[in-house]
Amino acid sequence: MTKVKSESATLSLKGKSFELPVHSSSLGPDVIDIRNLYRDANVFTYDPGYTSTASCDSSITFIDGENGKLLYRGYPIEQLARASHYLEVCYLLLYGDLPNREQLEDFETRVTRHTMVHEQLLFLYRGFRRDAHPMAIACGVVGALSAFYHDSTDVNDPLQREIASIRMIAKIPTIAAMAYKYSIGQPFVYPRNDHDYASNFLQMCFSVPAEDYRVNSVMSRALDRIFMLHADHEQNASTSTVRLAGSSGANPFACVAAGIACLWGPAHGGANQACLEILKEIGTVDRIPEYIKRARDRSDPFRLMGFGHRVYKNYDPRAQVIKESADEVLDYLGTKDKPILKVAKELERIALQDDYFVEKRLYPNVDFYSGIILEALGFPTSMFTPIFALSRTVGWIAQWKEMLADPVQKIGRPRQRYTGMSTREYVRISDRP
Ligand code: SDX
């Protein structure tokens, strides 16, 4: 818990003054503690979308939206993306510090040995239509994990919380890959313990029993970097959903399923799929002005997916790194002149100069370039958000564990500004007009 600052905030209301404690943060804005406001002043605060509300204490991720900075446990994302790898970042997010060799090896072994799913789960997939969106399948299968792993659903048992955490991080790639295989009518491919995390996901998605499959190291490195960049992001919509579900004591698998459901929305994790579809719809550089015009038009519901962010009012630092990866992957594939990359770069250049985007401080976010890489790796657009969910599972789990360990934690239960009818008497249908 951060120390309460000496000064406080004074609220003057209806002729009375209320002193509200101010807590300092180790980085970023101080917070005004309003926990007793309703009790003392009989008023609620009002903040639709929680634009100015801190919902919790957290030491996992810090975002400086004004300056486009992102820290995982204090380490800048661009340093981790270039020097670390996903499972090391998972360890950092879960336990707070970078592991030594022995700790990392133990963690990687524990995760690797939990990558298979219960064989009965295969039958659950058979109940879906082949054209089901992989996010629909992931929602259902992850939620069903609590029907299989009863020995890791007691959230009050630290050991069960740890086992559930490892199981969730280990199995989410297998579940996502199985959803992909099911959608294309190919047999499921089992995980392999002699592959690293990203390589395992690639072989589960793209290998077939009919021939040997060799993972391309450029591809697995690019995918591992995408996993790292999407691992956590403070109290975003899906993480807040996981925390809220967890605050009732729901089991971790149900909480992650709730997070997957929220991430699916096009305003959130679904933006990477929507963004690539828009880039394809634009098709050529000469059609960009037409779409910029639509994005500027408030009467047009069209938004330029992959642009804008609730917190970043500067360049999303993840977008910078992903843009480099997109160049590397397409350069390696010899498709650097791919029209879609040209459209993306020209769209970014124009948008960053456009007064509407400048005035509203709309910059490319993490979803703007990720779809270009994922498509180059061979994934269909329907797999983009499942890959985001796969990456974010460690962040959801780390935040869920932190929430449960927080001494001031209680069930999340916001209030409302009621705008409905006052009390009125029931009227029998025979007396109604
Ligand atoms: C993610 O929160 C996180 O951390 C999320 C995330 C994570 O890692 O978890 O970073 C991942 O979700 C990234 C964002 C992906 N979404 C998109 O790319 C979808 C397109 N972007 C927008 O929908 C929007 O920018 C949001 C949802 C991301 C943020 O919306 P806000 O903060 O609620 O801001 P807003 O919608 O109020 O927009 C402010 C203004 C509005 O205009 P006015 O009403 O003031 O006239 O900017 C406009 C918006 O119309 N605007 C856009 C726009 N985004 C905002 N106009 C055109 N195109 C856009 N993309």
Side-chain angles (χ1 to χ4, degrees), residues 51 63 229-230 232-233 235-238 263 266-269 271 295-296 298 302-313 316 318 356-357 360 362 365-367 388 392:
T51 51
I63 303 172
L229 292 169
H230 288 79
D232 192 54
H233 212 238
Q235 304 311 316
N236 59 84
S238 53
L263 187 77
H268 190 13
R296 294 169 57 103
R298 292 198 63 177
F302 172 79
R303 283 199 169 178
L304 201 53
M305 306 311 269
F307 270 83
H309 199 277
R310 170 62 57 77
V311 177
Y312 289 122
K313 300 311 173 189
D316 182 335
R318 302 168 296 176
Y356 172 88
F357 285 77
K360 296 194 183 296
L362 303 175
N365 58 48
V366 68
D367 295 302
F388 191 153
R392 184 55 55 88

Side-chain angles (χ1 to χ4, degrees), residues 251-308:
N251 74 71
F253 306 114
C255 295
V256 171
I260 292 172
C262 177
L263 187 77
W264 195 0
H268 190 13
N272 51 17
Q273 174 175 346
C275 180
L276 195 83
E277 286 162 356
I278 287 176
L279 290 174
K280 285 183 173 177
E281 186 184 318
I282 294 173
T284 53
V285 168
D286 61 310
R287 296 188 66 208
I288 290 175
E290 170 195 339
Y291 284 82
I292 295 279
K293 183 167 177 283
R294 284 190 58 197
R296 294 169 57 103
D297 180 357
R298 292 198 63 177
S299 64
D300 186 336
F302 172 79
R303 283 199 169 178
L304 201 53
M305 306 311 269
F307 270 83

Side-chain angles (χ1 to χ4, degrees), residues 359-398:
E359 176 213 325
K360 296 194 183 296
R361 305 175 77 187
L362 303 175
Y363 290 83
N365 58 48
V366 68
D367 295 302
F368 187 64
Y369 282 101
S370 57
I372 291 173
I373 299 174
L374 294 175
E375 184 182 66
L377 295 181
F379 292 105
T381 52
S382 61
M383 279 300 289
F384 291 4
T385 308
I387 289 169
F388 191 153
L390 181 169
S391 314
R392 184 55 55 88
T393 293
V394 66
W396 290 333
I397 288 292

Side-chain angles (χ1 to χ4, degrees), residues 114-126 141 145 147-149 171 174-175 178 187-191:
H114 279 284
T115 48
M116 287 177 71
V117 294
H118 192 293
E119 199 68 6
Q120 288 285 114
L121 262 173
L122 277 56
F123 298 109
L124 199 59
Y125 282 79
R126 308 248 180 269
V141 172
L145 291 178
F148 289 85
Y149 300 106
K171 297 181 194 305
T174 310
I175 289 167
M178 287 169 71
F188 298 135
V189 175
Y190 287 95

Side-chain angles (χ1 to χ4, degrees), residues 132-180:
H133 193 290
M135 283 297 276
I137 297 177
C139 258
V141 172
V142 169
L145 291 178
S146 53
F148 289 85
Y149 300 106
H150 301 119
D151 61 342
S152 59
T153 54
D154 178 357
V155 299
N156 299 309
D157 177 348
L159 184 60
Q160 291 198 35
R161 292 204 297 265
E162 178 66 14
I163 295 170
S165 303
I166 296 295
R167 276 179 168 149
M168 201 60 257
I169 293 161
K171 297 181 194 305
I172 192 70
T174 310
I175 289 167
M178 287 169 71
Y180 172 58

